[in-house]
Amino acid sequence: MATHFYTASSLDGFIATPDHSLEWLFAHDFDLEGPMAYPSFIEGVGALVMGASTYEWLLRNQQEWEYTQPTWVFTHRELPVLEGADVRFARGSVREVHDEIAASAGDRDVWVMGGGDLAGQFAEAGLLDEFWVQFAPVTLGEGRPLLPRHLELELIDTARNRDFVCARYRVRVGS
């Protein structure tokens, strides 16, 4: 079992616009059957973790909940749950909840799905194993940062997927 931060980024290091829009991401060509693509990644995921902003974005932008895995949402607010979704709300530090998250994933991996700050919390706690990022050919100038913390990484793999440059890194211990 490993914990991954799998995301996309603009070339200037943002994962969303200031108002959380991802329209820039969907405007570019990405092969879902190609290297480092989402369908093959999600097959190995047993649990998802996200912050409240990512969760609310999904609620606004999906017709129905598409995940069968347990989904952990870190929040201090009361948020709705779609019928049939296995959504669990968490408060406190990621270290306090990580064992429950890992147990809910079974023998599969954990995906820190959204929020560079949340991924940074996992990294600071020594609980983030890999960092996957697909760089889109666009700059945003401002927005939600990819990872607003210092993190030391070791490059594992790179690939080109049509318009995107994809990179997979191992998080260095003690970074």
Side-chain angles (χ1 to χ4, degrees):
M1 198 267 333
T3 301
H4 307 276
F5 181 42
Y6 178 91
T7 192
S9 174
S10 64
L11 289 179
D12 56 349
F14 297 105
I15 60 175
T17 64
D19 63 348
H20 301 280
S21 173
L22 298 177
E23 293 304 315
W24 58 272
L25 176 62
F26 303 121
H28 297 279
D29 190 23
F30 190 81
D31 181 2
L32 291 176
E33 301 297 321
M36 295 192 201
Y38 171 80
S40 59
F41 173 80
I42 194 72
E43 286 177 7
V45 172
L48 294 85
V49 181
M50 64 187 72
S53 294
T54 300
Y55 180 67
E56 289 175 315
W57 187 92
L58 289 170
L59 292 179
R60 284 191 311 271
N61 291 282
Q62 289 183 343
Q63 297 295 336
E64 59 187 44
W65 192 252
E66 66 181 58
Y67 305 103
T68 58
Q69 302 91 335
T71 301
W72 296 79
V73 179
F74 279 82
T75 186
H76 298 305
R77 298 179 278 140
E78 296 295 321
L79 296 170
V81 176
L82 293 176
E83 186 176 328
D86 183 358
V87 176
R88 306 166 190 198
F89 297 103
R91 289 185 166 90
S93 76
V94 296
R95 182 171 294 290
E96 294 170 352
V97 186
H98 186 262
D99 287 344
E100 288 180 73
I101 295 169
S104 74
D107 61 351
R108 295 166 68 199
D109 293 340
V110 173
W111 175 20
V112 180
M113 177 181 193
D117 184 62
L118 184 59
Q121 292 175 45
F122 272 83
E124 286 177 347
L127 300 171
L128 187 65
D129 300 300
E130 291 187 0
F131 181 72
W132 298 46
V133 61
Q134 285 73 30
F135 291 101
V138 64
T139 58
L140 300 178
E142 63 179 340
R144 305 294 174 185
L146 175 61
L147 196 72
R149 287 176 166 67
H150 176 85
L151 192 59
E152 295 290 330
L153 305 168
E154 176 187 342
L155 184 63
I156 298 172
D157 194 11
T158 60
R160 178 178 180 176
N161 186 319
R162 294 191 182 154
D163 287 348
F164 290 75
V165 174
C166 307
R168 182 176 165 203
Y169 300 91
R170 180 176 297 112
V171 177
R172 289 188 179 164
V173 177
S175 61

